[in-house]
Short mmCIF file of all heavy atoms in Angstrom, two decimals:
data_model
loop_
_atom_site.label_atom_id
_atom_site.label_comp_id
_atom_site.label_asym_id
_atom_site.label_seq_id
_atom_site.Cartn_x
_atom_site.Cartn_y
_atom_site.Cartn_z
N MET A 1 17.51 5.95 18.04
CA MET A 1 17.95 4.88 17.15
C MET A 1 16.88 4.66 16.08
O MET A 1 15.69 4.67 16.35
CB MET A 1 18.16 3.61 17.97
CG MET A 1 18.68 2.48 17.17
SD MET A 1 19.25 1.18 18.28
CE MET A 1 19.76 0.03 17.08
N ILE A 2 17.32 4.41 14.87
CA ILE A 2 16.40 4.21 13.76
C ILE A 2 15.92 2.76 13.76
O ILE A 2 16.71 1.83 13.88
CB ILE A 2 17.08 4.54 12.42
CG1 ILE A 2 17.48 6.01 12.38
CG2 ILE A 2 16.18 4.20 11.26
CD1 ILE A 2 18.25 6.39 11.14
N GLN A 3 14.61 2.59 13.65
CA GLN A 3 14.05 1.26 13.61
C GLN A 3 14.18 0.66 12.22
O GLN A 3 14.25 1.37 11.23
CB GLN A 3 12.58 1.30 14.00
CG GLN A 3 12.35 1.72 15.42
CD GLN A 3 10.87 1.78 15.74
OE1 GLN A 3 10.03 1.76 14.86
NE2 GLN A 3 10.56 1.83 17.02
N MET A 4 14.20 -0.66 12.14
CA MET A 4 14.34 -1.34 10.86
C MET A 4 13.13 -1.10 9.96
O MET A 4 13.26 -1.07 8.75
CB MET A 4 14.52 -2.85 11.07
CG MET A 4 15.90 -3.22 11.56
SD MET A 4 17.21 -2.69 10.44
CE MET A 4 16.90 -3.71 9.03
N ASN A 5 11.95 -0.91 10.54
CA ASN A 5 10.76 -0.67 9.72
C ASN A 5 10.88 0.62 8.92
O ASN A 5 10.25 0.78 7.89
CB ASN A 5 9.51 -0.61 10.59
CG ASN A 5 9.16 -1.96 11.17
OD1 ASN A 5 9.62 -2.97 10.67
ND2 ASN A 5 8.38 -1.95 12.22
N PHE A 6 11.72 1.54 9.41
CA PHE A 6 11.93 2.79 8.70
C PHE A 6 12.88 2.59 7.51
O PHE A 6 12.73 3.24 6.48
CB PHE A 6 12.53 3.83 9.67
CG PHE A 6 12.84 5.14 9.03
CD1 PHE A 6 11.83 6.03 8.72
CD2 PHE A 6 14.14 5.47 8.71
CE1 PHE A 6 12.11 7.24 8.12
CE2 PHE A 6 14.43 6.68 8.11
CZ PHE A 6 13.42 7.57 7.83
N ILE A 7 13.83 1.70 7.63
CA ILE A 7 14.86 1.50 6.61
C ILE A 7 14.41 0.54 5.51
O ILE A 7 14.84 0.67 4.36
CB ILE A 7 16.15 1.00 7.28
CG1 ILE A 7 16.68 2.07 8.22
CG2 ILE A 7 17.20 0.63 6.26
CD1 ILE A 7 17.87 1.66 9.02
N ILE A 8 13.54 -0.39 5.81
CA ILE A 8 13.17 -1.44 4.85
C ILE A 8 12.63 -0.89 3.52
O ILE A 8 13.06 -1.34 2.47
CB ILE A 8 12.19 -2.44 5.50
CG1 ILE A 8 12.94 -3.28 6.53
CG2 ILE A 8 11.53 -3.33 4.46
CD1 ILE A 8 12.09 -4.19 7.36
N PRO A 9 11.71 0.09 3.49
CA PRO A 9 11.25 0.60 2.19
C PRO A 9 12.38 1.22 1.37
O PRO A 9 12.45 1.03 0.16
CB PRO A 9 10.20 1.64 2.54
CG PRO A 9 9.74 1.29 3.90
CD PRO A 9 10.92 0.68 4.58
N PHE A 10 13.27 1.96 2.03
CA PHE A 10 14.39 2.58 1.32
C PHE A 10 15.34 1.53 0.76
O PHE A 10 15.84 1.67 -0.36
CB PHE A 10 15.14 3.55 2.23
CG PHE A 10 14.31 4.72 2.65
CD1 PHE A 10 13.92 4.87 3.97
CD2 PHE A 10 13.91 5.67 1.73
CE1 PHE A 10 13.15 5.95 4.35
CE2 PHE A 10 13.14 6.76 2.11
CZ PHE A 10 12.75 6.89 3.42
N ALA A 11 15.58 0.48 1.53
CA ALA A 11 16.44 -0.60 1.05
C ALA A 11 15.79 -1.32 -0.12
O ALA A 11 16.48 -1.69 -1.09
CB ALA A 11 16.73 -1.58 2.19
N GLY A 12 14.49 -1.52 -0.07
CA GLY A 12 13.78 -2.17 -1.17
C GLY A 12 13.84 -1.35 -2.45
O GLY A 12 14.09 -1.88 -3.53
N ILE A 13 13.63 -0.04 -2.32
CA ILE A 13 13.70 0.83 -3.49
C ILE A 13 15.11 0.85 -4.06
O ILE A 13 15.31 0.81 -5.27
CB ILE A 13 13.20 2.25 -3.13
CG1 ILE A 13 11.69 2.21 -2.93
CG2 ILE A 13 13.59 3.26 -4.19
CD1 ILE A 13 11.09 3.49 -2.43
N ALA A 14 16.12 0.91 -3.18
CA ALA A 14 17.50 0.92 -3.66
C ALA A 14 17.85 -0.39 -4.37
O ALA A 14 18.49 -0.38 -5.42
CB ALA A 14 18.44 1.15 -2.49
N ALA A 15 17.41 -1.51 -3.81
CA ALA A 15 17.71 -2.81 -4.42
C ALA A 15 17.04 -2.93 -5.78
O ALA A 15 17.67 -3.40 -6.75
CB ALA A 15 17.26 -3.94 -3.49
N ILE A 16 15.80 -2.50 -5.88
CA ILE A 16 15.09 -2.56 -7.17
C ILE A 16 15.78 -1.66 -8.19
O ILE A 16 15.95 -2.02 -9.35
CB ILE A 16 13.61 -2.16 -7.00
CG1 ILE A 16 12.88 -3.25 -6.22
CG2 ILE A 16 12.94 -1.94 -8.35
CD1 ILE A 16 11.52 -2.84 -5.76
N GLY A 17 16.21 -0.48 -7.75
CA GLY A 17 16.89 0.44 -8.65
C GLY A 17 18.19 -0.12 -9.20
O GLY A 17 18.48 -0.01 -10.39
N VAL A 18 18.98 -0.76 -8.33
CA VAL A 18 20.25 -1.34 -8.76
C VAL A 18 20.02 -2.48 -9.73
O VAL A 18 20.66 -2.56 -10.79
CB VAL A 18 21.07 -1.80 -7.53
CG1 VAL A 18 22.25 -2.65 -7.95
CG2 VAL A 18 21.54 -0.60 -6.73
N VAL A 19 19.11 -3.38 -9.39
CA VAL A 19 18.85 -4.54 -10.26
C VAL A 19 18.25 -4.09 -11.60
O VAL A 19 18.67 -4.58 -12.66
CB VAL A 19 17.92 -5.54 -9.54
CG1 VAL A 19 17.46 -6.62 -10.50
CG2 VAL A 19 18.64 -6.15 -8.35
N ALA A 20 17.33 -3.14 -11.57
CA ALA A 20 16.73 -2.66 -12.81
C ALA A 20 17.78 -1.99 -13.69
O ALA A 20 17.78 -2.19 -14.91
CB ALA A 20 15.59 -1.68 -12.51
N HIS A 21 18.67 -1.23 -13.10
CA HIS A 21 19.72 -0.57 -13.88
C HIS A 21 20.65 -1.60 -14.53
O HIS A 21 21.02 -1.45 -15.70
CB HIS A 21 20.52 0.38 -12.98
CG HIS A 21 21.58 1.12 -13.71
ND1 HIS A 21 21.29 2.07 -14.66
CD2 HIS A 21 22.93 1.05 -13.64
CE1 HIS A 21 22.43 2.55 -15.14
NE2 HIS A 21 23.43 1.95 -14.53
N MET A 22 21.00 -2.63 -13.79
CA MET A 22 21.86 -3.68 -14.36
C MET A 22 21.17 -4.38 -15.52
O MET A 22 21.79 -4.63 -16.57
CB MET A 22 22.25 -4.68 -13.27
CG MET A 22 23.22 -4.12 -12.27
SD MET A 22 23.66 -5.14 -10.84
CE MET A 22 23.22 -6.77 -11.25
N ILE A 23 19.89 -4.68 -15.38
CA ILE A 23 19.15 -5.34 -16.45
C ILE A 23 19.03 -4.42 -17.67
O ILE A 23 19.19 -4.87 -18.81
CB ILE A 23 17.77 -5.80 -15.95
CG1 ILE A 23 17.93 -6.92 -14.92
CG2 ILE A 23 16.90 -6.27 -17.10
CD1 ILE A 23 16.64 -7.29 -14.22
N GLU A 24 18.76 -3.14 -17.42
CA GLU A 24 18.65 -2.18 -18.53
C GLU A 24 19.95 -2.09 -19.31
O GLU A 24 19.94 -2.09 -20.55
CB GLU A 24 18.27 -0.80 -17.99
CG GLU A 24 16.86 -0.71 -17.47
CD GLU A 24 16.62 0.56 -16.69
OE1 GLU A 24 17.50 1.47 -16.71
OE2 GLU A 24 15.56 0.67 -16.05
N ARG A 25 21.06 -2.01 -18.60
CA ARG A 25 22.37 -1.93 -19.28
C ARG A 25 22.63 -3.19 -20.11
O ARG A 25 23.12 -3.12 -21.22
CB ARG A 25 23.49 -1.71 -18.27
CG ARG A 25 23.39 -0.46 -17.45
CD ARG A 25 24.05 0.69 -18.07
NE ARG A 25 25.48 0.40 -18.18
CZ ARG A 25 26.33 1.22 -18.73
NH1 ARG A 25 25.90 2.36 -19.21
NH2 ARG A 25 27.59 0.92 -18.83
N LYS A 26 22.31 -4.34 -19.52
CA LYS A 26 22.53 -5.60 -20.24
C LYS A 26 21.68 -5.67 -21.50
O LYS A 26 22.14 -6.11 -22.56
CB LYS A 26 22.24 -6.78 -19.31
CG LYS A 26 22.68 -8.10 -19.84
CD LYS A 26 22.60 -9.13 -18.73
CE LYS A 26 23.28 -10.39 -19.12
NZ LYS A 26 24.69 -10.41 -18.82
N LEU A 27 20.43 -5.22 -21.41
CA LEU A 27 19.55 -5.22 -22.58
C LEU A 27 20.06 -4.25 -23.65
O LEU A 27 20.01 -4.55 -24.84
CB LEU A 27 18.12 -4.86 -22.18
CG LEU A 27 17.30 -5.94 -21.50
CD1 LEU A 27 16.00 -5.37 -20.98
CD2 LEU A 27 17.05 -7.09 -22.44
N GLU A 28 20.53 -3.07 -23.23
CA GLU A 28 21.02 -2.10 -24.20
C GLU A 28 22.25 -2.62 -24.94
O GLU A 28 22.34 -2.50 -26.16
CB GLU A 28 21.38 -0.79 -23.50
CG GLU A 28 20.19 0.06 -23.17
CD GLU A 28 20.59 1.35 -22.51
OE1 GLU A 28 21.35 1.29 -21.51
OE2 GLU A 28 20.15 2.41 -22.99
N PHE A 29 23.17 -3.21 -24.22
CA PHE A 29 24.40 -3.69 -24.85
C PHE A 29 24.19 -4.95 -25.68
O PHE A 29 24.98 -5.24 -26.57
CB PHE A 29 25.49 -3.93 -23.81
CG PHE A 29 26.05 -2.66 -23.24
CD1 PHE A 29 26.16 -2.49 -21.87
CD2 PHE A 29 26.44 -1.62 -24.07
CE1 PHE A 29 26.68 -1.32 -21.36
CE2 PHE A 29 26.95 -0.44 -23.55
CZ PHE A 29 27.07 -0.29 -22.20
N SER A 30 23.12 -5.68 -25.41
CA SER A 30 22.86 -6.88 -26.20
C SER A 30 22.03 -6.58 -27.45
O SER A 30 21.73 -7.48 -28.22
CB SER A 30 22.15 -7.94 -25.35
OG SER A 30 20.85 -7.52 -25.03
N GLY A 31 21.64 -5.33 -27.63
CA GLY A 31 20.90 -4.95 -28.83
C GLY A 31 19.39 -4.98 -28.67
O GLY A 31 18.67 -4.85 -29.65
N ASN A 32 18.90 -5.16 -27.47
CA ASN A 32 17.45 -5.20 -27.22
C ASN A 32 17.00 -3.95 -26.48
O ASN A 32 16.30 -4.02 -25.48
CB ASN A 32 17.09 -6.44 -26.40
CG ASN A 32 17.36 -7.72 -27.13
OD1 ASN A 32 17.12 -7.80 -28.33
ND2 ASN A 32 17.87 -8.71 -26.42
N ALA A 33 17.40 -2.80 -26.99
CA ALA A 33 17.10 -1.54 -26.30
C ALA A 33 15.60 -1.26 -26.23
O ALA A 33 15.15 -0.53 -25.36
CB ALA A 33 17.81 -0.39 -26.99
N GLY A 34 14.82 -1.84 -27.13
CA GLY A 34 13.38 -1.63 -27.10
C GLY A 34 12.71 -2.23 -25.87
O GLY A 34 11.64 -1.78 -25.46
N ASN A 35 13.33 -3.22 -25.26
CA ASN A 35 12.74 -3.86 -24.08
C ASN A 35 13.09 -3.13 -22.80
O ASN A 35 12.56 -3.48 -21.73
CB ASN A 35 13.21 -5.31 -23.98
CG ASN A 35 12.66 -6.15 -25.11
OD1 ASN A 35 11.60 -5.86 -25.64
ND2 ASN A 35 13.38 -7.19 -25.48
N VAL A 36 13.95 -2.12 -22.87
CA VAL A 36 14.34 -1.38 -21.66
C VAL A 36 13.13 -0.69 -21.05
O VAL A 36 13.01 -0.61 -19.83
CB VAL A 36 15.47 -0.38 -22.00
CG1 VAL A 36 15.76 0.54 -20.83
CG2 VAL A 36 16.72 -1.13 -22.41
N ILE A 37 12.22 -0.21 -21.88
CA ILE A 37 11.04 0.49 -21.37
C ILE A 37 10.18 -0.44 -20.51
O ILE A 37 9.59 -0.01 -19.52
CB ILE A 37 10.22 1.11 -22.52
CG1 ILE A 37 9.15 2.06 -21.98
CG2 ILE A 37 9.57 0.06 -23.38
CD1 ILE A 37 9.70 3.32 -21.42
N MET A 38 10.16 -1.72 -20.85
CA MET A 38 9.39 -2.68 -20.03
C MET A 38 10.03 -2.83 -18.64
O MET A 38 9.32 -2.93 -17.64
CB MET A 38 9.33 -4.03 -20.73
CG MET A 38 8.60 -4.02 -22.03
SD MET A 38 6.90 -3.46 -21.79
CE MET A 38 6.36 -3.40 -23.46
N VAL A 39 11.34 -2.84 -18.59
CA VAL A 39 12.02 -2.93 -17.29
C VAL A 39 11.77 -1.66 -16.49
O VAL A 39 11.53 -1.73 -15.28
CB VAL A 39 13.54 -3.17 -17.49
CG1 VAL A 39 14.28 -3.14 -16.18
CG2 VAL A 39 13.78 -4.48 -18.22
N LYS A 40 11.80 -0.51 -17.15
CA LYS A 40 11.53 0.75 -16.45
C LYS A 40 10.10 0.78 -15.91
O LYS A 40 9.86 1.23 -14.78
CB LYS A 40 11.76 1.93 -17.38
CG LYS A 40 13.22 2.19 -17.67
CD LYS A 40 13.37 3.43 -18.52
CE LYS A 40 14.81 3.63 -18.91
NZ LYS A 40 15.55 4.41 -17.96
N ILE A 41 9.14 0.31 -16.69
CA ILE A 41 7.75 0.26 -16.23
C ILE A 41 7.62 -0.68 -15.03
O ILE A 41 6.95 -0.37 -14.04
CB ILE A 41 6.82 -0.15 -17.38
CG1 ILE A 41 6.73 0.96 -18.41
CG2 ILE A 41 5.43 -0.50 -16.86
CD1 ILE A 41 6.02 0.56 -19.69
N GLY A 42 8.26 -1.84 -15.11
CA GLY A 42 8.22 -2.78 -13.99
C GLY A 42 8.85 -2.22 -12.73
O GLY A 42 8.31 -2.39 -11.63
N ALA A 43 9.97 -1.52 -12.88
CA ALA A 43 10.62 -0.91 -11.72
C ALA A 43 9.75 0.18 -11.12
O ALA A 43 9.60 0.26 -9.89
CB ALA A 43 11.98 -0.34 -12.12
N ASN A 44 9.14 1.01 -11.97
CA ASN A 44 8.26 2.06 -11.45
C ASN A 44 7.03 1.49 -10.77
O ASN A 44 6.56 2.04 -9.76
CB ASN A 44 7.85 3.01 -12.57
CG ASN A 44 8.96 3.94 -12.97
OD1 ASN A 44 9.79 4.29 -12.13
ND2 ASN A 44 8.99 4.34 -14.22
N LEU A 45 6.52 0.38 -11.26
CA LEU A 45 5.40 -0.28 -10.60
C LEU A 45 5.81 -0.78 -9.22
O LEU A 45 5.06 -0.64 -8.25
CB LEU A 45 4.88 -1.43 -11.46
CG LEU A 45 3.71 -2.22 -10.89
CD1 LEU A 45 2.48 -1.32 -10.77
CD2 LEU A 45 3.41 -3.41 -11.77
N CYS A 46 6.99 -1.34 -9.12
CA CYS A 46 7.50 -1.81 -7.82
C CYS A 46 7.69 -0.63 -6.86
O CYS A 46 7.37 -0.74 -5.67
CB CYS A 46 8.80 -2.57 -7.98
SG CYS A 46 8.61 -4.14 -8.81
N TYR A 47 8.21 0.50 -7.37
CA TYR A 47 8.36 1.69 -6.53
C TYR A 47 7.00 2.13 -6.01
O TYR A 47 6.85 2.48 -4.83
CB TYR A 47 8.98 2.85 -7.31
CG TYR A 47 10.37 2.62 -7.84
CD1 TYR A 47 10.79 3.25 -9.00
CD2 TYR A 47 11.27 1.81 -7.17
CE1 TYR A 47 12.07 3.06 -9.49
CE2 TYR A 47 12.55 1.62 -7.65
CZ TYR A 47 12.94 2.25 -8.82
OH TYR A 47 14.20 2.07 -9.29
N PHE A 48 5.99 2.13 -6.88
CA PHE A 48 4.65 2.54 -6.48
C PHE A 48 4.10 1.62 -5.39
O PHE A 48 3.51 2.09 -4.41
CB PHE A 48 3.70 2.55 -7.68
CG PHE A 48 2.27 2.71 -7.30
CD1 PHE A 48 1.78 3.94 -6.90
CD2 PHE A 48 1.41 1.62 -7.29
CE1 PHE A 48 0.45 4.07 -6.52
CE2 PHE A 48 0.10 1.75 -6.92
CZ PHE A 48 -0.39 2.99 -6.53
N LEU A 49 4.28 0.31 -5.56
CA LEU A 49 3.74 -0.63 -4.57
C LEU A 49 4.41 -0.47 -3.22
O LEU A 49 3.75 -0.54 -2.18
CB LEU A 49 3.88 -2.06 -5.09
CG LEU A 49 3.00 -2.40 -6.30
CD1 LEU A 49 3.34 -3.79 -6.81
CD2 LEU A 49 1.54 -2.28 -5.97
N ILE A 50 5.71 -0.24 -3.21
CA ILE A 50 6.42 -0.02 -1.94
C ILE A 50 5.94 1.28 -1.29
O ILE A 50 5.68 1.32 -0.08
CB ILE A 50 7.94 0.00 -2.17
CG1 ILE A 50 8.43 -1.40 -2.52
CG2 ILE A 50 8.66 0.51 -0.92
CD1 ILE A 50 9.87 -1.46 -2.95
N ALA A 51 5.81 2.34 -2.09
CA ALA A 51 5.35 3.62 -1.55
C ALA A 51 3.91 3.51 -1.02
O ALA A 51 3.59 4.05 0.04
CB ALA A 51 5.44 4.70 -2.62
N PHE A 52 3.06 2.79 -1.76
CA PHE A 52 1.67 2.63 -1.32
C PHE A 52 1.60 1.88 0.01
O PHE A 52 0.87 2.28 0.92
CB PHE A 52 0.87 1.88 -2.39
CG PHE A 52 -0.55 1.63 -2.00
CD1 PHE A 52 -1.47 2.65 -2.00
CD2 PHE A 52 -0.96 0.36 -1.62
CE1 PHE A 52 -2.78 2.43 -1.63
CE2 PHE A 52 -2.26 0.13 -1.24
CZ PHE A 52 -3.18 1.16 -1.25
N ALA A 53 2.37 0.80 0.13
CA ALA A 53 2.37 0.04 1.39
C ALA A 53 2.89 0.88 2.55
O ALA A 53 2.37 0.80 3.67
CB ALA A 53 3.19 -1.23 1.23
N THR A 54 3.90 1.70 2.28
CA THR A 54 4.47 2.55 3.33
C THR A 54 3.47 3.61 3.76
O THR A 54 3.28 3.84 4.96
CB THR A 54 5.76 3.20 2.83
OG1 THR A 54 6.66 2.18 2.41
CG2 THR A 54 6.42 4.01 3.92
N TRP A 55 2.81 4.26 2.80
CA TRP A 55 1.81 5.26 3.14
C TRP A 55 0.63 4.63 3.87
O TRP A 55 0.06 5.23 4.79
CB TRP A 55 1.31 5.99 1.90
CG TRP A 55 2.21 7.13 1.54
CD1 TRP A 55 3.11 7.15 0.53
CD2 TRP A 55 2.31 8.38 2.20
NE1 TRP A 55 3.76 8.35 0.52
CE2 TRP A 55 3.29 9.13 1.53
CE3 TRP A 55 1.67 8.95 3.29
CZ2 TRP A 55 3.65 10.41 1.93
CZ3 TRP A 55 2.03 10.22 3.68
CH2 TRP A 55 3.00 10.94 3.01
N LYS A 56 0.24 3.43 3.47
CA LYS A 56 -0.86 2.74 4.13
C LYS A 56 -0.52 2.49 5.60
O LYS A 56 -1.33 2.74 6.49
CB LYS A 56 -1.16 1.43 3.40
CG LYS A 56 -2.38 0.72 3.90
CD LYS A 56 -2.67 -0.50 3.06
CE LYS A 56 -2.08 -1.68 3.78
NZ LYS A 56 -2.41 -2.96 3.22
N ASP A 57 0.70 2.01 5.84
CA ASP A 57 1.13 1.78 7.22
C ASP A 57 1.21 3.09 8.01
O ASP A 57 0.85 3.12 9.19
CB ASP A 57 2.48 1.07 7.24
CG ASP A 57 2.41 -0.34 6.73
OD1 ASP A 57 1.30 -0.90 6.68
OD2 ASP A 57 3.47 -0.89 6.37
N PHE A 58 1.67 4.14 7.34
CA PHE A 58 1.74 5.44 8.02
C PHE A 58 0.36 5.91 8.46
O PHE A 58 0.18 6.33 9.61
CB PHE A 58 2.38 6.48 7.10
CG PHE A 58 2.22 7.89 7.59
CD1 PHE A 58 2.97 8.34 8.66
CD2 PHE A 58 1.30 8.74 7.01
CE1 PHE A 58 2.82 9.64 9.12
CE2 PHE A 58 1.13 10.03 7.47
CZ PHE A 58 1.90 10.48 8.54
N PHE A 59 -0.62 5.86 7.56
CA PHE A 59 -1.96 6.33 7.91
C PHE A 59 -2.62 5.43 8.95
O PHE A 59 -3.40 5.88 9.78
CB PHE A 59 -2.84 6.46 6.67
CG PHE A 59 -2.51 7.67 5.85
CD1 PHE A 59 -2.11 7.54 4.54
CD2 PHE A 59 -2.59 8.92 6.41
CE1 PHE A 59 -1.80 8.66 3.79
CE2 PHE A 59 -2.28 10.06 5.67
CZ PHE A 59 -1.88 9.92 4.35
N LYS A 60 -2.29 4.14 8.92
CA LYS A 60 -2.82 3.23 9.93
C LYS A 60 -2.28 3.60 11.31
O LYS A 60 -3.03 3.66 12.29
CB LYS A 60 -2.43 1.79 9.56
CG LYS A 60 -3.26 0.75 10.27
CD LYS A 60 -2.81 -0.65 9.87
CE LYS A 60 -3.54 -1.11 8.65
NZ LYS A 60 -3.29 -2.53 8.36
N MET A 61 -0.97 3.88 11.40
CA MET A 61 -0.39 4.26 12.69
C MET A 61 -0.89 5.64 13.13
O MET A 61 -1.15 5.85 14.31
CB MET A 61 1.14 4.26 12.59
CG MET A 61 1.75 2.89 12.47
SD MET A 61 1.30 1.77 13.82
CE MET A 61 2.05 2.59 15.19
N ALA A 62 -1.00 6.57 12.19
CA ALA A 62 -1.51 7.90 12.54
C ALA A 62 -2.94 7.81 13.05
O ALA A 62 -3.32 8.49 14.01
CB ALA A 62 -1.43 8.83 11.33
N GLY A 63 -3.74 6.94 12.45
CA GLY A 63 -5.11 6.74 12.91
C GLY A 63 -5.16 6.16 14.31
O GLY A 63 -5.99 6.56 15.12
N ARG A 64 -4.25 5.23 14.60
CA ARG A 64 -4.22 4.66 15.96
C ARG A 64 -3.85 5.72 16.98
O ARG A 64 -4.42 5.77 18.07
CB ARG A 64 -3.21 3.52 16.02
CG ARG A 64 -3.70 2.27 15.37
CD ARG A 64 -2.70 1.15 15.58
NE ARG A 64 -3.05 0.02 14.72
CZ ARG A 64 -2.20 -0.88 14.31
NH1 ARG A 64 -0.94 -0.82 14.67
NH2 ARG A 64 -2.60 -1.86 13.54
N TYR A 65 -2.87 6.58 16.65
CA TYR A 65 -2.46 7.62 17.59
C TYR A 65 -3.56 8.65 17.80
O TYR A 65 -3.69 9.20 18.89
CB TYR A 65 -1.20 8.32 17.10
CG TYR A 65 0.05 7.49 17.26
CD1 TYR A 65 0.97 7.37 16.22
CD2 TYR A 65 0.33 6.81 18.44
CE1 TYR A 65 2.11 6.61 16.35
CE2 TYR A 65 1.46 6.04 18.59
CZ TYR A 65 2.35 5.95 17.55
OH TYR A 65 3.48 5.19 17.68
N LEU A 66 -4.35 8.90 16.76
CA LEU A 66 -5.43 9.89 16.87
C LEU A 66 -6.74 9.28 17.35
O LEU A 66 -7.73 9.99 17.50
CB LEU A 66 -5.64 10.57 15.52
CG LEU A 66 -4.45 11.41 15.02
CD1 LEU A 66 -4.71 11.90 13.62
CD2 LEU A 66 -4.17 12.56 15.97
N GLY A 67 -6.78 7.96 17.52
CA GLY A 67 -7.98 7.31 18.02
C GLY A 67 -9.02 7.04 16.96
O GLY A 67 -10.20 6.85 17.28
N VAL A 68 -8.62 6.98 15.71
CA VAL A 68 -9.54 6.72 14.60
C VAL A 68 -9.30 5.30 14.13
O VAL A 68 -8.17 4.87 13.97
CB VAL A 68 -9.29 7.72 13.44
CG1 VAL A 68 -10.21 7.43 12.28
CG2 VAL A 68 -9.45 9.13 13.92
N HIS A 69 -10.38 4.56 13.90
CA HIS A 69 -10.24 3.19 13.40
C HIS A 69 -10.06 3.21 11.89
O HIS A 69 -10.87 3.75 11.15
CB HIS A 69 -11.46 2.35 13.76
CG HIS A 69 -11.41 0.97 13.19
ND1 HIS A 69 -10.53 0.03 13.64
CD2 HIS A 69 -12.13 0.39 12.20
CE1 HIS A 69 -10.70 -1.09 12.95
NE2 HIS A 69 -11.68 -0.88 12.05
N VAL A 70 -8.94 2.63 11.43
CA VAL A 70 -8.68 2.52 10.01
C VAL A 70 -8.78 1.05 9.64
O VAL A 70 -8.02 0.23 10.12
CB VAL A 70 -7.27 3.07 9.67
CG1 VAL A 70 -7.00 2.96 8.18
CG2 VAL A 70 -7.13 4.49 10.14
N SER A 71 -9.75 0.71 8.80
CA SER A 71 -10.05 -0.71 8.55
C SER A 71 -9.08 -1.35 7.58
O SER A 71 -8.86 -2.54 7.62
CB SER A 71 -11.47 -0.84 8.01
OG SER A 71 -11.60 -0.16 6.79
N TRP A 72 -8.47 -0.63 6.67
CA TRP A 72 -7.59 -1.26 5.72
C TRP A 72 -6.19 -1.12 6.19
O TRP A 72 -5.23 -1.52 5.78
CB TRP A 72 -7.72 -0.67 4.31
CG TRP A 72 -7.74 0.81 4.24
CD1 TRP A 72 -8.83 1.61 4.28
CD2 TRP A 72 -6.62 1.69 4.14
NE1 TRP A 72 -8.46 2.92 4.21
CE2 TRP A 72 -7.12 2.98 4.13
CE3 TRP A 72 -5.26 1.50 4.11
CZ2 TRP A 72 -6.29 4.10 4.06
CZ3 TRP A 72 -4.44 2.61 4.03
CH2 TRP A 72 -4.97 3.90 4.01
#
């Protein structure tokens, strides 16, 4: 069975992608297409933060299994 901790990052990325796409479309149709790049940058930053947190948790768990102390 898949644990919820495995699904949460994927759900977060999917939710950010849907919301960012809706905002981008609204900006384009309202004539503010120049601001779409700011939404894309913000979405990519959120993707990076989710990926970083997931990798951090992965290395922390891998360190515990291998008997290495990971301080962060």
Side-chain angles (χ1 to χ4, degrees):
M1 183 167 179
I2 296 176
Q3 295 179 345
M4 285 301 293
N5 291 342
F6 178 76
I7 296 175
I8 289 173
F10 295 112
I13 288 174
I16 291 168
V18 168
V19 171
H21 182 67
M22 289 174 18
I23 292 171
E24 290 168 10
R25 299 271 297 178
K26 191 168 192 88
L27 284 171
E28 282 181 308
F29 288 131
S30 68
N32 295 321
N35 293 333
V36 172
I37 191 71
M38 296 301 175
V39 175
K40 288 183 184 271
I41 290 170
N44 285 330
L45 180 64
C46 291
Y47 298 150
F48 169 76
L49 292 174
I50 290 172
F52 178 74
T54 304
W55 275 104
K56 187 175 96 172
D57 292 341
F58 167 74
F59 284 121
K60 198 181 272 189
M61 289 303 296
R64 285 185 192 156
Y65 286 133
L66 295 174
V68 178
H69 176 70
V70 180
S71 62
W72 46 269

